[in-house]
Amino acid sequence: MAMGLFRVCLVVVTAIVNHPLLFPRENATVPENEEEIIRKMQEHQEKLRLEHLRLEEEVSRLVAEKEALQQAEEEGQQQPEAHTAWDLWSTLCMILFLIIEIWRQDHQDGPFPECLGGDEDELSGLGGTPLRGLPLPKKATLDHFYEHCIRSATGDATRTREFVEGFVDDLLEALRSVCNRDTDMETEDFIGVGSMYENWHVERPLLCHLFVPFIPPEPYSFHPELWCSKLSMPLNYQGYGQIKVTPAGGDPLGCICGKTKLGEDMLCLLHGKSGGGQPGAGGRDEMEDLLCSKESSYLDAMQVMKWFQVALTKAWHRIAHKYEFDLAFGQLDTPGSLRIKFRSGKFMPFIVTPVIQCKDSDLYFVPQLPKEPCRGTPASSTDWLLSFAVYELQFLRMTAKALPEGACHLSCLQIASFLLSKQSRLTGPSGLSNYHLKTALLHLLLSRRAADWRANQLDVRLQELFCFLERSLLEKKLLHFFVGNRKVPEALGLPEVVRRAEPINLFRPFVLQRTLYHSTVNSFYEMLKNAPTLISEYSLHVPSDRASPPPKAIAL
């Protein structure tokens, strides 16, 4: 018994001596709370004596002292253990917070925002309602609508593409025949891009969009300059570039038009009909004939548009006798916007855009911006928009190979595009476009598992697509899918300079244009409110407004 008590006392003394709070290393004095600890131990001893009345007084005292010593030992151990546990917990919390912060930075643009429900105050100021309060139609209704309205409307897309491609191939061959290969630009084979080739076009009439790359005559070459290759560039220039025209060997005086006699209708790449000299040289009155900007060697988009339209007109006149329809320009401010008009009165629009390839990649510079309020306009006609249309097509095709058969990703995009187009007809165009819808879908495709896109998930994925757009609108932030996105598969072959560039916010104009932003948000929620009724109506009746009246055109 005595040995046991000695061991207990030894443990208690050791614990007290080593306790960091009772005996700090820098202070060897007795702590001030020692009397309080002894008092509590005595009180505990008295309680033990009352509980063991049947035992002898001496045994009760010894047992009470032993229990008191053990209790003191436990308290002495628990305090450093608690201190250690607190330090460990603080460390774990810090590590956890760091992990969350790193994850947030890596996934801050992730495509899985839940539908907003706690932003009623902000939305009330915009006239909107949280998406969770706007239920979309059930899956059965969506399936019926897609089969009877959208799928049937796009059934003849293949025939339309084949017809347009055959005609454009003939038209470009005629264009090459009327151009002088020694002095004029050389056109290459066309490339199909856009919704018609990505198989999600829903609007009527069906519209094919073709890129036609062109190159300068020898000895000249194009040298594209991307915005991300410059040290400083204003935000509104993101996504643009310039094309410098340089002669082989860097000889600025070696223009071929000074060595070759040009025809009456031929234009030198750098100079007008007057020929000779360099851009900005004196003695030339017709500066509007230049394909380069005045007093610079950068290619002018407006001059290229003019050249291309003149060349298409000459090419059509060369082959018009072979066809039993008329050809006219559709929109004068869009290069290559054409419209075939049949004798029956029907028409078929298509777009042939002259583009310049960016080095050896599938990036192309287009001479005119799409008519979208959210994408702005360049400050100069020497600024060309960098198009990722070919990469978008390749990514969709690559992704489709990994998705289940009958995947619903394009169906989601078609339904969303359909609703947006109908809402635009009701309330007018807004800052939201089909390009934004496709960008949101591409983000979802990159992050979602392949199994999530099964056909039976159409309603869930469509809801998620609208949730993503809602979050992007409220944050005024929708990042470009390719620029600065290192998650894009390397197998796609995207240039590294683009992958490492600063991300582009497609919704940045919303920050600067509050009126446009408010109208867009209101239109978005109005579209969702009208969706159930609109889908139900179109499921029962074939819309009569599919064939819109032909736009005004100028005959070639």
Side-chain angles (χ1 to χ4, degrees):
M1 179 68 70
M3 183 61 66
L5 291 174
F6 174 77
R7 291 178 179 177
V8 171
C9 292
L10 181 61
V11 171
V12 172
V13 172
T14 303
I16 294 176
V17 169
N18 289 277
H19 197 287
L21 297 179
L22 297 180
F23 291 93
R25 294 181 180 179
E26 62 276 9
N27 187 1
T29 59
V30 179
E32 296 179 355
N33 60 348
E34 184 179 17
E35 296 180 356
E36 180 67 17
I37 295 176
I38 295 175
R39 186 181 63 80
K40 290 183 178 180
M41 292 173 62
Q42 291 176 348
E43 292 177 358
H44 186 64
Q45 178 181 349
E46 293 296 327
K47 292 180 181 180
L48 291 177
R49 290 176 61 184
L50 294 176
E51 294 176 359
H52 300 82
L53 295 177
R54 295 181 182 182
L55 299 177
E56 296 179 357
E57 183 178 356
E58 184 65 21
V59 174
S60 299
R61 186 182 300 108
L62 292 175
V63 172
E65 291 178 355
K66 180 179 179 180
E67 292 293 333
L69 292 173
Q70 290 179 349
Q71 181 66 23
E73 178 184 3
E74 291 177 359
E75 292 177 357
Q77 290 180 350
Q78 287 177 358
Q79 290 184 5
E81 288 178 359
H83 183 72
T84 304
W86 173 256
D87 291 342
L88 180 60
W89 176 248
S90 301
T91 303
L92 291 176
C93 288
M94 182 179 296
I95 295 175
L96 181 61
F97 290 149
L98 288 176
I99 294 175
I100 293 175
E101 178 65 18
I102 294 173
W103 179 87
R104 185 189 66 81
Q105 293 179 0
D106 290 341
H107 298 80
Q108 61 182 348
D109 306 310
F112 303 110
E114 297 181 357
C115 295
L116 302 179
D119 296 328
E120 283 84 354
D121 294 339
E122 181 179 358
L123 295 178
S124 61
L126 298 173
T129 308
L131 185 56
R132 68 176 183 179
L134 300 172
L136 294 175
K138 300 298 182 181
K139 180 181 178 301
T141 305
L142 287 175
D143 291 341
H144 184 269
F145 164 73
Y146 181 77
E147 290 296 330
H148 292 79
C149 186
I150 294 182
R151 185 186 293 274
S152 61
T154 58
D156 55 349
T158 302
R159 290 185 302 167
T160 302
R161 287 197 300 263
E162 292 176 352
F163 177 82
V164 172
E165 289 176 357
F167 173 70
V168 171
D169 199 16
D170 195 11
L171 186 65
L172 292 179
E173 188 63 32
L175 186 150
R176 298 185 187 103
S177 66
V178 300
C179 292
N180 190 329
R181 294 186 178 181
D182 295 330
T183 60
D184 213 339
M185 288 186 251
E186 181 180 349
T187 57
E188 300 179 345
D189 294 335
F190 63 82
I191 303 172
V193 296
S195 57
M196 276 285 286
Y197 289 87
E198 294 165 351
N199 297 318
W200 60 270
H201 189 82
V202 295
E203 279 295 286
R204 285 284 185 163
L206 298 175
L207 179 66
C208 289
H209 192 178
L210 306 174
F211 279 177
V212 178
F214 65 93
I215 58 177
E218 295 182 355
Y220 293 99
S221 60
F222 290 146
H223 292 273
E225 298 178 359
L226 297 176
W227 87 99
C228 53
S229 62
K230 300 180 180 180
L231 296 178
S232 61
M233 181 65 65
L235 292 177
N236 57 321
Y237 280 85
Q238 288 186 333
Y240 297 98
Q242 294 180 321
I243 299 101
K244 193 172 186 178
V245 184
T246 59
D251 180 13
L253 301 177
C255 182
I256 196 172
C257 70
K259 305 175 182 178
T260 304
K261 186 177 180 179
L262 302 181
E264 224 177 53
D265 297 326
M266 295 296 104
L267 287 176
C268 173
L269 178 65
L270 291 176
H271 314 107
K273 296 180 180 179
S274 57
Q278 285 301 304
R284 292 175 28 223
D285 297 330
E286 299 182 1
M287 297 300 293
E288 68 275 6
D289 290 332
L290 295 176
L291 296 187
C292 280
S293 178
K294 183 179 179 181
E295 298 182 358
S296 79
S297 57
Y298 288 99
L299 203 61
D300 190 299
M302 299 301 296
Q303 299 294 341
V304 171
M305 290 163 52
K306 179 180 178 181
W307 163 82
F308 194 64
Q309 290 178 341
V310 171
L312 287 179
T313 302
K314 294 178 180 178
W316 167 244
H317 289 163
R318 192 178 185 90
I319 62 174
H321 63 280
K322 297 167 52 177
Y323 296 95
E324 296 182 354
F325 54 75
D326 295 327
L327 185 67
F329 284 116
Q331 300 174 0
L332 295 181
D333 56 352
T334 301
S337 176
L338 300 170
R339 181 171 65 87
I340 294 175
K341 183 178 181 180
F342 299 96
R343 293 180 178 178
S344 62
K346 295 183 179 181
F347 68 96
M348 179 181 295
F350 63 97
I351 300 176
V352 182
T353 304
V355 298
I356 297 175
Q357 186 177 13
C358 182
K359 299 179 180 179
D360 296 328
S361 68
D362 286 323
L363 296 174
Y364 290 90
F365 288 99
V366 297
Q368 186 185 3
L369 300 179
K371 294 182 177 180
E372 298 176 3
C374 254
R375 303 190 67 176
T377 56
S380 172
S381 59
T382 60
D383 298 319
W384 294 59
L385 177 66
L386 190 62
S387 173
F388 293 80
V390 177
Y391 281 114
E392 292 164 3
L393 176 60
Q394 293 175 355
F395 178 79
L396 287 173
R397 289 177 176 176
M398 179 188 300
T399 305
K401 296 179 181 179
L403 296 180
E405 184 178 357
C408 65
H409 62 299
L410 294 182
S411 303
C412 288
L413 187 55
Q414 286 178 306
I415 295 176
S417 176
F418 176 87
L419 295 175
L420 180 61
S421 65
K422 299 307 176 186
Q423 185 63 35
S424 298
R425 293 186 182 183
L426 290 174
T427 59
S430 66
L432 198 63
S433 68
N434 283 335
Y435 189 77
H436 299 136
L437 299 179
K438 183 168 71 171
T439 299
L441 177 71
L442 294 180
H443 282 294
L444 290 173
L445 283 173
L446 188 62
S447 301
R448 273 288 179 188
R449 299 178 306 166
D452 294 334
W453 297 99
R454 292 191 180 96
N456 58 3
Q457 295 291 314
L458 175 61
D459 55 335
V460 179
R461 297 285 78 80
L462 183 62
Q463 183 83 8
E464 184 180 37
L465 178 63
F466 286 131
C467 283
F468 183 91
L469 287 171
E470 181 187 37
R471 171 71 67 178
S472 300
L473 282 172
L474 294 182
E475 294 180 352
K476 301 178 184 178
K477 183 178 181 182
L478 176 63
L479 296 185
H480 194 284
F481 178 71
F482 291 102
V483 179
N485 188 358
R486 302 187 183 183
K487 299 178 183 179
V488 174
E490 294 184 2
L492 208 60
L494 192 68
E496 191 65 20
V497 66
V498 176
R499 289 168 58 92
R500 294 183 177 274
E502 287 295 325
I504 297 178
N505 181 15
L506 300 181
F507 280 170
R508 180 180 174 272
F510 287 150
V511 180
L512 306 176
Q513 306 176 37
R514 296 183 60 85
T515 302
L516 174 63
Y517 174 65
H518 289 171
S519 63
T520 301
V521 173
N522 291 335
S523 178
F524 174 75
Y525 285 114
E526 188 69 22
M527 176 186 73
L528 297 180
K529 290 179 182 179
N530 297 333
T533 303
L534 194 64
I535 290 177
S536 300
E537 289 295 326
Y538 272 85
S539 299
L540 300 175
H541 308 285
V542 178
S544 59
D545 59 343
R546 281 181 177 173
S548 57
K552 295 182 180 180
I554 296 181
L556 297 180

